[in-house]
């Protein structure tokens, strides 16, 4: 239901275009991994996947969304999986995702685990990935489909007031949005190597999407994230 709703609503907020690599496909029981930049990007990607490939995946999303009146029930109806970040229950999301994959449903997740804390609306490459994606792929043998999106921050980004203003003015501005779907890949067994391979593939998909919008960051050299401190624990 939420994928269909996204497909209807996203064109109201912006001009969405979708491209795909040759051979891009999402087989039953695939893992879809996407770069995370904004509260708006899940809707963009769900709309793009439904439009281009007629796919409606199970989404791993922050558990706090289930506390929003009405939304929590809709998320549960669609089989979405809550992620309890930074708790002892964080890993249970991967167990539930594995069950969904075994049933043949595609699963969509954000391996960065958070929205980058940036206030400007410009694009930037994906942050480092956590290991949950590699562990899920290794445990299930599922193929991984890298997806890159750009433009979601043009709808909403920054602090609370700016985010609200962005959503309210987007139907008038109708910013350009782009989603690029990469070809599926199989990750190696080694968790570190698998995480690096997936990160590189999503970065390339993001770069293609950002280039389609003329974003300056898409042409910049990759930036090392060493020394930025430890990441928060979680899936």
């Amino acid at each position: 239901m939420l994928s269909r709703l996204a497909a209807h609503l996203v064109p109201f907020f912006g001009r969405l275009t979708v491209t795909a690599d040759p051979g891009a496909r999402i087989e039953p029981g695939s893992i879809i991994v996407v770069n995370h930049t904004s509260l708006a990007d899940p809707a963009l990607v769900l709309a793009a996947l439904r439009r281009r490939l007629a796919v409606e995946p199970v989404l791993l999303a922050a558990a706090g969304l289930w506390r929003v009146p009405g939304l929590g029930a809709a998320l549960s109806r669609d089989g979405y999986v809550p992620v309890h970040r930074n708790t002892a229950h964080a890993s249970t999301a991967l167990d539930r995702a594995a069950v969904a994959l075994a049933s043949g449903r595609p699963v969509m997740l954000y391996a960065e685990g958070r929205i980058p804390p940036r206030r400007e609306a410009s694009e930037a490459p994906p942050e480092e990935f956590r290991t949950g994606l590699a562990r899920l792929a290794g445990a299930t043998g599922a193929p991984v489909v890298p997806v890159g999106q750009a433009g979601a921050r043009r709808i909403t980004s920054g602090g609370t007031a700016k985010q609200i203003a962005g959503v309210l003015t987007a139907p008038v501005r109708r910013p350009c949005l782009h989603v690029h779907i990469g070809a599926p890949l199989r990750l190696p067994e080694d968790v570190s190597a698998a995480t690096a391979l997936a990160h590189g593939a999503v970065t390339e998909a993001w770069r293609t999407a950002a280039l389609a919008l003329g974003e300056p960051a898409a042409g910049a050299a990759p930036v090392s994230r060493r020394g930025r401190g430890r990441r928060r624990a979680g899936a």
Side-chain angles (χ1 to χ4, degrees), residues 160-210:
T160 302
K162 185 180 178 183
Q163 290 192 39
I164 294 172
V167 171
L168 293 177
T169 61
V172 177
R173 296 182 289 110
R174 298 199 71 243
C176 292
L177 318 164
H178 194 89
V179 172
H180 182 77
I181 304 165
L185 61 147
R186 294 281 180 176
L187 300 185
E189 293 183 2
D190 180 77
V191 170
S192 295
T195 301
L197 178 61
H199 182 271
V202 172
T203 299
E204 286 307 307
W206 161 80
R207 196 177 304 279
T208 300

mmCIF file of all heavy atoms in Angstrom, residues 160-210:
data_model
loop_
_atom_site.group_PDB
_atom_site.id
_atom_site.type_symbol
_atom_site.label_atom_id
_atom_site.label_comp_id
_atom_site.label_asym_id
_atom_site.label_seq_id
_atom_site.Cartn_x
_atom_site.Cartn_y
_atom_site.Cartn_z
ATOM 1 N N THR A 160 14.505 21.229 11.872
ATOM 2 C CA THR A 160 13.062 20.977 11.826
ATOM 3 C C THR A 160 12.315 22.038 11.023
ATOM 4 O O THR A 160 11.482 21.714 10.164
ATOM 5 C CB THR A 160 12.497 20.912 13.251
ATOM 6 O OG1 THR A 160 13.170 19.883 13.981
ATOM 7 C CG2 THR A 160 11.009 20.620 13.225
ATOM 8 N N ALA A 161 12.592 23.309 11.294
ATOM 9 C CA ALA A 161 11.880 24.387 10.594
ATOM 10 C C ALA A 161 12.146 24.335 9.094
ATOM 11 O O ALA A 161 11.229 24.496 8.277
ATOM 12 C CB ALA A 161 12.301 25.741 11.162
ATOM 13 N N LYS A 162 13.397 24.073 8.723
ATOM 14 C CA LYS A 162 13.740 24.004 7.303
ATOM 15 C C LYS A 162 13.085 22.798 6.647
ATOM 16 O O LYS A 162 12.647 22.871 5.483
ATOM 17 C CB LYS A 162 15.258 23.938 7.143
ATOM 18 C CG LYS A 162 15.721 23.993 5.691
ATOM 19 C CD LYS A 162 17.235 23.928 5.591
ATOM 20 C CE LYS A 162 17.682 23.925 4.133
ATOM 21 N NZ LYS A 162 19.152 23.790 4.011
ATOM 22 N N GLN A 163 13.009 21.686 7.372
ATOM 23 C CA GLN A 163 12.373 20.502 6.812
ATOM 24 C C GLN A 163 10.892 20.748 6.545
ATOM 25 O O GLN A 163 10.368 20.385 5.480
ATOM 26 C CB GLN A 163 12.550 19.311 7.756
ATOM 27 C CG GLN A 163 13.976 18.806 7.819
ATOM 28 C CD GLN A 163 14.081 17.474 8.525
ATOM 29 O OE1 GLN A 163 13.225 16.615 8.348
ATOM 30 N NE2 GLN A 163 15.111 17.296 9.318
ATOM 31 N N ILE A 164 10.226 21.362 7.490
ATOM 32 C CA ILE A 164 8.796 21.653 7.319
ATOM 33 C C ILE A 164 8.586 22.606 6.150
ATOM 34 O O ILE A 164 7.700 22.407 5.305
ATOM 35 C CB ILE A 164 8.206 22.235 8.608
ATOM 36 C CG1 ILE A 164 8.221 21.175 9.719
ATOM 37 C CG2 ILE A 164 6.779 22.743 8.382
ATOM 38 C CD1 ILE A 164 7.844 21.698 11.084
ATOM 39 N N ALA A 165 9.426 23.650 6.082
ATOM 40 C CA ALA A 165 9.310 24.611 4.979
ATOM 41 C C ALA A 165 9.557 23.933 3.638
ATOM 42 O O ALA A 165 8.889 24.230 2.642
ATOM 43 C CB ALA A 165 10.304 25.755 5.185
ATOM 44 N N GLY A 166 10.518 23.014 3.613
ATOM 45 C CA GLY A 166 10.823 22.314 2.371
ATOM 46 C C GLY A 166 9.648 21.497 1.871
ATOM 47 O O GLY A 166 9.316 21.514 0.677
ATOM 48 N N VAL A 167 9.004 20.763 2.776
ATOM 49 C CA VAL A 167 7.854 19.947 2.396
ATOM 50 C C VAL A 167 6.702 20.831 1.909
ATOM 51 O O VAL A 167 6.040 20.517 0.909
ATOM 52 C CB VAL A 167 7.401 19.068 3.573
ATOM 53 C CG1 VAL A 167 6.076 18.378 3.264
ATOM 54 C CG2 VAL A 167 8.458 18.026 3.896
ATOM 55 N N LEU A 168 6.459 21.941 2.603
ATOM 56 C CA LEU A 168 5.342 22.820 2.251
ATOM 57 C C LEU A 168 5.536 23.513 0.913
ATOM 58 O O LEU A 168 4.567 23.767 0.195
ATOM 59 C CB LEU A 168 5.117 23.862 3.358
ATOM 60 C CG LEU A 168 4.632 23.318 4.708
ATOM 61 C CD1 LEU A 168 4.534 24.443 5.724
ATOM 62 C CD2 LEU A 168 3.282 22.610 4.551
ATOM 63 N N THR A 169 6.791 23.823 0.579
ATOM 64 C CA THR A 169 7.046 24.553 -0.669
ATOM 65 C C THR A 169 7.383 23.650 -1.852
ATOM 66 O O THR A 169 7.375 24.100 -2.998
ATOM 67 C CB THR A 169 8.200 25.551 -0.482
ATOM 68 O OG1 THR A 169 9.403 24.843 -0.123
ATOM 69 C CG2 THR A 169 7.872 26.566 0.604
ATOM 70 N N ALA A 170 7.662 22.379 -1.594
ATOM 71 C CA ALA A 170 8.044 21.466 -2.672
ATOM 72 C C ALA A 170 7.006 21.373 -3.787
ATOM 73 O O ALA A 170 7.369 21.346 -4.972
ATOM 74 C CB ALA A 170 8.350 20.079 -2.109
ATOM 75 N N PRO A 171 5.695 21.332 -3.483
ATOM 76 C CA PRO A 171 4.721 21.255 -4.579
ATOM 77 C C PRO A 171 4.773 22.462 -5.517
ATOM 78 O O PRO A 171 4.366 22.353 -6.680
ATOM 79 C CB PRO A 171 3.377 21.200 -3.839
ATOM 80 C CG PRO A 171 3.702 20.592 -2.508
ATOM 81 C CD PRO A 171 5.051 21.168 -2.166
ATOM 82 N N VAL A 172 5.257 23.581 -5.027
ATOM 83 C CA VAL A 172 5.402 24.766 -5.877
ATOM 84 C C VAL A 172 6.726 24.718 -6.624
ATOM 85 O O VAL A 172 6.805 24.973 -7.827
ATOM 86 C CB VAL A 172 5.311 26.062 -5.037
ATOM 87 C CG1 VAL A 172 5.540 27.285 -5.914
ATOM 88 C CG2 VAL A 172 3.958 26.143 -4.338
ATOM 89 N N ARG A 173 7.802 24.348 -5.899
ATOM 90 C CA ARG A 173 9.131 24.300 -6.510
ATOM 91 C C ARG A 173 9.277 23.097 -7.439
ATOM 92 O O ARG A 173 9.950 23.160 -8.452
ATOM 93 C CB ARG A 173 10.199 24.212 -5.408
ATOM 94 C CG ARG A 173 10.267 25.414 -4.502
ATOM 95 C CD ARG A 173 11.375 25.274 -3.467
ATOM 96 N NE ARG A 173 11.079 24.271 -2.443
ATOM 97 C CZ ARG A 173 11.689 23.104 -2.303
ATOM 98 N NH1 ARG A 173 12.668 22.764 -3.145
ATOM 99 N NH2 ARG A 173 11.355 22.259 -1.335
ATOM 100 N N ARG A 174 8.698 21.974 -7.061
ATOM 101 C CA ARG A 174 8.787 20.699 -7.783
ATOM 102 C C ARG A 174 10.221 20.413 -8.227
ATOM 103 O O ARG A 174 10.545 20.408 -9.412
ATOM 104 C CB ARG A 174 7.830 20.672 -8.975
ATOM 105 C CG ARG A 174 6.367 20.808 -8.570
ATOM 106 C CD ARG A 174 5.404 20.346 -9.639
ATOM 107 N NE ARG A 174 5.451 18.888 -9.783
ATOM 108 C CZ ARG A 174 5.835 18.275 -10.900
ATOM 109 N NH1 ARG A 174 6.229 18.969 -11.943
ATOM 110 N NH2 ARG A 174 5.840 16.970 -10.957
ATOM 111 N N PRO A 175 11.115 20.173 -7.262
ATOM 112 C CA PRO A 175 12.528 19.933 -7.582
ATOM 113 C C PRO A 175 12.724 18.657 -8.391
ATOM 114 O O PRO A 175 11.904 17.736 -8.355
ATOM 115 C CB PRO A 175 13.179 19.811 -6.201
ATOM 116 C CG PRO A 175 12.072 19.347 -5.308
ATOM 117 C CD PRO A 175 10.848 20.048 -5.811
ATOM 118 N N CYS A 176 13.834 18.606 -9.114
ATOM 119 C CA CYS A 176 14.193 17.407 -9.872
ATOM 120 C C CYS A 176 14.724 16.342 -8.919
ATOM 121 O O CYS A 176 15.517 16.639 -8.022
ATOM 122 C CB CYS A 176 15.244 17.739 -10.927
ATOM 123 S SG CYS A 176 14.635 18.788 -12.264
ATOM 124 N N LEU A 177 14.311 15.107 -9.134
ATOM 125 C CA LEU A 177 14.684 13.965 -8.304
ATOM 126 C C LEU A 177 15.095 12.834 -9.238
ATOM 127 O O LEU A 177 14.545 12.698 -10.328
ATOM 128 C CB LEU A 177 13.494 13.507 -7.454
ATOM 129 C CG LEU A 177 12.631 14.602 -6.810
ATOM 130 C CD1 LEU A 177 11.301 14.024 -6.335
ATOM 131 C CD2 LEU A 177 13.378 15.255 -5.666
ATOM 132 N N HIS A 178 16.055 12.039 -8.818
ATOM 133 C CA HIS A 178 16.487 10.945 -9.698
ATOM 134 C C HIS A 178 16.860 9.715 -8.880
ATOM 135 O O HIS A 178 17.504 9.824 -7.827
ATOM 136 C CB HIS A 178 17.686 11.364 -10.542
ATOM 137 C CG HIS A 178 17.959 10.420 -11.682
ATOM 138 N ND1 HIS A 178 17.385 10.574 -12.924
ATOM 139 C CD2 HIS A 178 18.712 9.299 -11.762
ATOM 140 C CE1 HIS A 178 17.778 9.596 -13.728
ATOM 141 N NE2 HIS A 178 18.583 8.798 -13.039
ATOM 142 N N VAL A 179 16.463 8.549 -9.383
ATOM 143 C CA VAL A 179 16.811 7.269 -8.781
ATOM 144 C C VAL A 179 17.457 6.404 -9.854
ATOM 145 O O VAL A 179 16.942 6.298 -10.973
ATOM 146 C CB VAL A 179 15.570 6.557 -8.208
ATOM 147 C CG1 VAL A 179 15.920 5.139 -7.758
ATOM 148 C CG2 VAL A 179 14.997 7.343 -7.036
ATOM 149 N N HIS A 180 18.599 5.797 -9.511
ATOM 150 C CA HIS A 180 19.275 4.897 -10.436
ATOM 151 C C HIS A 180 19.383 3.517 -9.810
ATOM 152 O O HIS A 180 19.836 3.366 -8.669
ATOM 153 C CB HIS A 180 20.674 5.398 -10.795
ATOM 154 C CG HIS A 180 21.371 4.515 -11.784
ATOM 155 N ND1 HIS A 180 21.070 4.519 -13.125
ATOM 156 C CD2 HIS A 180 22.330 3.557 -11.618
ATOM 157 C CE1 HIS A 180 21.820 3.625 -13.753
ATOM 158 N NE2 HIS A 180 22.585 3.021 -12.861
ATOM 159 N N ILE A 181 18.963 2.486 -10.560
ATOM 160 C CA ILE A 181 18.960 1.109 -10.086
ATOM 161 C C ILE A 181 20.129 0.364 -10.718
ATOM 162 O O ILE A 181 20.244 0.313 -11.949
ATOM 163 C CB ILE A 181 17.640 0.414 -10.451
ATOM 164 C CG1 ILE A 181 16.452 1.217 -9.892
ATOM 165 C CG2 ILE A 181 17.616 -1.021 -9.915
ATOM 166 C CD1 ILE A 181 15.114 0.823 -10.487
ATOM 167 N N GLY A 182 21.011 -0.174 -9.895
ATOM 168 C CA GLY A 182 22.175 -0.893 -10.396
ATOM 169 C C GLY A 182 21.878 -2.357 -10.662
ATOM 170 O O GLY A 182 20.833 -2.889 -10.271
ATOM 171 N N ALA A 183 22.802 -3.012 -11.327
ATOM 172 C CA ALA A 183 22.682 -4.446 -11.586
ATOM 173 C C ALA A 183 22.944 -5.222 -10.295
ATOM 174 O O ALA A 183 23.753 -4.802 -9.460
ATOM 175 C CB ALA A 183 23.670 -4.877 -12.666
ATOM 176 N N PRO A 184 22.279 -6.361 -10.096
ATOM 177 C CA PRO A 184 22.480 -7.133 -8.862
ATOM 178 C C PRO A 184 23.882 -7.718 -8.771
ATOM 179 O O PRO A 184 24.540 -7.963 -9.785
ATOM 180 C CB PRO A 184 21.429 -8.249 -8.974
ATOM 181 C CG PRO A 184 21.135 -8.353 -10.433
ATOM 182 C CD PRO A 184 21.303 -6.974 -10.994
ATOM 183 N N LEU A 185 24.339 -7.931 -7.552
ATOM 184 C CA LEU A 185 25.646 -8.526 -7.325
ATOM 185 C C LEU A 185 25.581 -9.503 -6.173
ATOM 186 O O LEU A 185 24.666 -9.448 -5.343
ATOM 187 C CB LEU A 185 26.704 -7.454 -7.048
ATOM 188 C CG LEU A 185 26.523 -6.556 -5.822
ATOM 189 C CD1 LEU A 185 27.866 -6.181 -5.246
ATOM 190 C CD2 LEU A 185 25.768 -5.285 -6.185
ATOM 191 N N ARG A 186 26.540 -10.405 -6.143
ATOM 192 C CA ARG A 186 26.671 -11.344 -5.037
ATOM 193 C C ARG A 186 27.839 -10.897 -4.176
ATOM 194 O O ARG A 186 28.941 -10.666 -4.682
ATOM 195 C CB ARG A 186 26.930 -12.760 -5.564
ATOM 196 C CG ARG A 186 25.768 -13.353 -6.338
ATOM 197 C CD ARG A 186 24.694 -13.868 -5.415
ATOM 198 N NE ARG A 186 23.575 -14.444 -6.166
ATOM 199 C CZ ARG A 186 22.530 -15.034 -5.594
ATOM 200 N NH1 ARG A 186 22.466 -15.125 -4.271
ATOM 201 N NH2 ARG A 186 21.548 -15.522 -6.324
ATOM 202 N N LEU A 187 27.615 -10.781 -2.886
ATOM 203 C CA LEU A 187 28.662 -10.333 -1.990
ATOM 204 C C LEU A 187 29.532 -11.505 -1.556
ATOM 205 O O LEU A 187 29.042 -12.628 -1.391
ATOM 206 C CB LEU A 187 28.053 -9.665 -0.753
ATOM 207 C CG LEU A 187 27.189 -8.427 -0.999
ATOM 208 C CD1 LEU A 187 26.777 -7.817 0.341
ATOM 209 C CD2 LEU A 187 27.907 -7.390 -1.854
ATOM 210 N N PRO A 188 30.829 -11.268 -1.353
ATOM 211 C CA PRO A 188 31.708 -12.328 -0.849
ATOM 212 C C PRO A 188 31.368 -12.664 0.597
ATOM 213 O O PRO A 188 30.650 -11.928 1.270
ATOM 214 C CB PRO A 188 33.099 -11.714 -0.971
ATOM 215 C CG PRO A 188 32.870 -10.238 -0.932
ATOM 216 C CD PRO A 188 31.557 -10.006 -1.607
ATOM 217 N N GLU A 189 31.897 -13.786 1.067
ATOM 218 C CA GLU A 189 31.593 -14.233 2.433
ATOM 219 C C GLU A 189 32.222 -13.327 3.483
ATOM 220 O O GLU A 189 31.649 -13.120 4.553
ATOM 221 C CB GLU A 189 32.057 -15.675 2.630
ATOM 222 C CG GLU A 189 31.277 -16.694 1.809
ATOM 223 C CD GLU A 189 31.720 -18.107 2.104
ATOM 224 O OE1 GLU A 189 32.601 -18.283 2.980
ATOM 225 O OE2 GLU A 189 31.196 -19.040 1.471
ATOM 226 N N ASP A 190 33.413 -12.820 3.212
ATOM 227 C CA ASP A 190 34.090 -11.966 4.190
ATOM 228 C C ASP A 190 33.280 -10.686 4.411
ATOM 229 O O ASP A 190 32.953 -9.962 3.454
ATOM 230 C CB ASP A 190 35.488 -11.608 3.682
ATOM 231 C CG ASP A 190 36.233 -10.720 4.660
ATOM 232 O OD1 ASP A 190 36.724 -11.232 5.671
ATOM 233 O OD2 ASP A 190 36.294 -9.494 4.404
ATOM 234 N N VAL A 191 32.947 -10.401 5.662
ATOM 235 C CA VAL A 191 32.063 -9.279 5.980
ATOM 236 C C VAL A 191 32.672 -7.938 5.567
ATOM 237 O O VAL A 191 31.988 -7.081 4.996
ATOM 238 C CB VAL A 191 31.705 -9.280 7.479
ATOM 239 C CG1 VAL A 191 30.988 -7.994 7.874
ATOM 240 C CG2 VAL A 191 30.833 -10.493 7.810
ATOM 241 N N SER A 192 33.950 -7.751 5.842
ATOM 242 C CA SER A 192 34.595 -6.480 5.497
ATOM 243 C C SER A 192 34.619 -6.269 3.988
ATOM 244 O O SER A 192 34.293 -5.181 3.490
ATOM 245 C CB SER A 192 36.018 -6.437 6.053
ATOM 246 O OG SER A 192 36.007 -6.457 7.462
ATOM 247 N N ALA A 193 34.995 -7.325 3.253
ATOM 248 C CA ALA A 193 35.046 -7.211 1.795
ATOM 249 C C ALA A 193 33.650 -7.006 1.219
ATOM 250 O O ALA A 193 33.463 -6.225 0.278
ATOM 251 C CB ALA A 193 35.683 -8.465 1.203
ATOM 252 N N ALA A 194 32.666 -7.689 1.777
ATOM 253 C CA ALA A 194 31.291 -7.555 1.297
ATOM 254 C C ALA A 194 30.768 -6.147 1.541
ATOM 255 O O ALA A 194 30.106 -5.544 0.681
ATOM 256 C CB ALA A 194 30.400 -8.583 1.986
ATOM 257 N N THR A 195 31.060 -5.606 2.720
ATOM 258 C CA THR A 195 30.606 -4.258 3.053
ATOM 259 C C THR A 195 31.232 -3.231 2.119
ATOM 260 O O THR A 195 30.554 -2.319 1.634
ATOM 261 C CB THR A 195 30.956 -3.937 4.517
ATOM 262 O OG1 THR A 195 30.319 -4.894 5.378
ATOM 263 C CG2 THR A 195 30.492 -2.540 4.900
ATOM 264 N N ALA A 196 32.523 -3.381 1.845
ATOM 265 C CA ALA A 196 33.217 -2.449 0.954
ATOM 266 C C ALA A 196 32.671 -2.540 -0.470
ATOM 267 O O ALA A 196 32.481 -1.517 -1.149
ATOM 268 C CB ALA A 196 34.713 -2.738 0.959
ATOM 269 N N LEU A 197 32.411 -3.761 -0.951
ATOM 270 C CA LEU A 197 31.888 -3.938 -2.303
ATOM 271 C C LEU A 197 30.512 -3.300 -2.437
ATOM 272 O O LEU A 197 30.228 -2.595 -3.423
ATOM 273 C CB LEU A 197 31.814 -5.430 -2.640
ATOM 274 C CG LEU A 197 31.240 -5.781 -4.017
ATOM 275 C CD1 LEU A 197 32.091 -5.190 -5.130
ATOM 276 C CD2 LEU A 197 31.128 -7.295 -4.179
ATOM 277 N N ALA A 198 29.646 -3.532 -1.464
ATOM 278 C CA ALA A 198 28.306 -2.958 -1.510
ATOM 279 C C ALA A 198 28.354 -1.433 -1.444
ATOM 280 O O ALA A 198 27.633 -0.742 -2.166
ATOM 281 C CB ALA A 198 27.464 -3.515 -0.362
ATOM 282 N N HIS A 199 29.228 -0.907 -0.583
ATOM 283 C CA HIS A 199 29.355 0.549 -0.473
ATOM 284 C C HIS A 199 29.797 1.144 -1.807
ATOM 285 O O HIS A 199 29.262 2.179 -2.248
ATOM 286 C CB HIS A 199 30.346 0.906 0.625
ATOM 287 C CG HIS A 199 30.501 2.380 0.840
ATOM 288 N ND1 HIS A 199 31.415 3.150 0.146
ATOM 289 C CD2 HIS A 199 29.846 3.244 1.663
ATOM 290 C CE1 HIS A 199 31.325 4.403 0.533
ATOM 291 N NE2 HIS A 199 30.378 4.487 1.451
ATOM 292 N N GLY A 200 30.761 0.517 -2.461
ATOM 293 C CA GLY A 200 31.221 1.020 -3.746
ATOM 294 C C GLY A 200 30.136 0.994 -4.801
ATOM 295 O O GLY A 200 29.997 1.934 -5.607
ATOM 296 N N ALA A 201 29.326 -0.062 -4.814
ATOM 297 C CA ALA A 201 28.264 -0.168 -5.803
ATOM 298 C C ALA A 201 27.169 0.865 -5.575
ATOM 299 O O ALA A 201 26.662 1.474 -6.529
ATOM 300 C CB ALA A 201 27.672 -1.576 -5.759
ATOM 301 N N VAL A 202 26.803 1.100 -4.317
ATOM 302 C CA VAL A 202 25.789 2.110 -4.028
ATOM 303 C C VAL A 202 26.330 3.511 -4.321
ATOM 304 O O VAL A 202 25.608 4.380 -4.823
ATOM 305 C CB VAL A 202 25.303 2.002 -2.564
ATOM 306 C CG1 VAL A 202 24.387 3.164 -2.204
ATOM 307 C CG2 VAL A 202 24.579 0.680 -2.348
ATOM 308 N N THR A 203 27.610 3.728 -4.033
ATOM 309 C CA THR A 203 28.218 5.018 -4.337
ATOM 310 C C THR A 203 28.168 5.308 -5.839
ATOM 311 O O THR A 203 27.870 6.433 -6.266
ATOM 312 C CB THR A 203 29.677 5.073 -3.841
ATOM 313 O OG1 THR A 203 29.690 4.899 -2.417
ATOM 314 C CG2 THR A 203 30.334 6.402 -4.188
ATOM 315 N N GLU A 204 28.454 4.297 -6.659
ATOM 316 C CA GLU A 204 28.387 4.489 -8.107
ATOM 317 C C GLU A 204 26.958 4.753 -8.564
ATOM 318 O O GLU A 204 26.724 5.570 -9.458
ATOM 319 C CB GLU A 204 28.968 3.270 -8.824
ATOM 320 C CG GLU A 204 30.479 3.202 -8.755
ATOM 321 C CD GLU A 204 31.138 4.491 -9.230
ATOM 322 O OE1 GLU A 204 30.829 4.945 -10.354
ATOM 323 O OE2 GLU A 204 31.936 5.071 -8.467
ATOM 324 N N ALA A 205 25.984 4.057 -7.969
ATOM 325 C CA ALA A 205 24.586 4.297 -8.313
ATOM 326 C C ALA A 205 24.174 5.707 -7.899
ATOM 327 O O ALA A 205 23.461 6.414 -8.638
ATOM 328 C CB ALA A 205 23.689 3.257 -7.650
ATOM 329 N N TRP A 206 24.607 6.130 -6.704
ATOM 330 C CA TRP A 206 24.331 7.499 -6.269
ATOM 331 C C TRP A 206 24.973 8.505 -7.214
ATOM 332 O O TRP A 206 24.361 9.512 -7.587
ATOM 333 C CB TRP A 206 24.870 7.728 -4.849
ATOM 334 C CG TRP A 206 25.015 9.192 -4.547
ATOM 335 C CD1 TRP A 206 24.024 10.064 -4.171
ATOM 336 C CD2 TRP A 206 26.206 9.984 -4.673
ATOM 337 N NE1 TRP A 206 24.527 11.341 -4.052
ATOM 338 C CE2 TRP A 206 25.863 11.309 -4.348
ATOM 339 C CE3 TRP A 206 27.522 9.682 -5.020
ATOM 340 C CZ2 TRP A 206 26.797 12.348 -4.362
ATOM 341 C CZ3 TRP A 206 28.453 10.709 -5.034
ATOM 342 C CH2 TRP A 206 28.097 12.023 -4.709
ATOM 343 N N ARG A 207 26.214 8.240 -7.618
ATOM 344 C CA ARG A 207 26.917 9.171 -8.499
ATOM 345 C C ARG A 207 26.166 9.342 -9.826
ATOM 346 O O ARG A 207 26.042 10.449 -10.351
ATOM 347 C CB ARG A 207 28.344 8.679 -8.747
ATOM 348 C CG ARG A 207 29.268 9.744 -9.321
ATOM 349 C CD ARG A 207 30.693 9.220 -9.488
ATOM 350 N NE ARG A 207 31.230 8.715 -8.237
ATOM 351 C CZ ARG A 207 31.746 9.493 -7.291
ATOM 352 N NH1 ARG A 207 31.788 10.796 -7.464
ATOM 353 N NH2 ARG A 207 32.229 8.960 -6.186
ATOM 354 N N THR A 208 25.654 8.249 -10.356
ATOM 355 C CA THR A 208 24.874 8.323 -11.592
ATOM 356 C C THR A 208 23.634 9.180 -11.396
ATOM 357 O O THR A 208 23.291 10.009 -12.241
ATOM 358 C CB THR A 208 24.472 6.909 -12.054
ATOM 359 O OG1 THR A 208 25.649 6.138 -12.300
ATOM 360 C CG2 THR A 208 23.642 6.964 -13.324
ATOM 361 N N ALA A 209 22.946 8.975 -10.258
ATOM 362 C CA ALA A 209 21.747 9.764 -9.966
ATOM 363 C C ALA A 209 22.083 11.242 -9.784
ATOM 364 O O ALA A 209 21.386 12.127 -10.297
ATOM 365 C CB ALA A 209 21.056 9.214 -8.723
ATOM 366 N N ALA A 210 23.160 11.520 -9.050
ATOM 367 C CA ALA A 210 23.543 12.906 -8.791
ATOM 368 C C ALA A 210 24.003 13.614 -10.066
ATOM 369 O O ALA A 210 23.724 14.804 -10.276
ATOM 370 C CB ALA A 210 24.634 12.951 -7.727
#
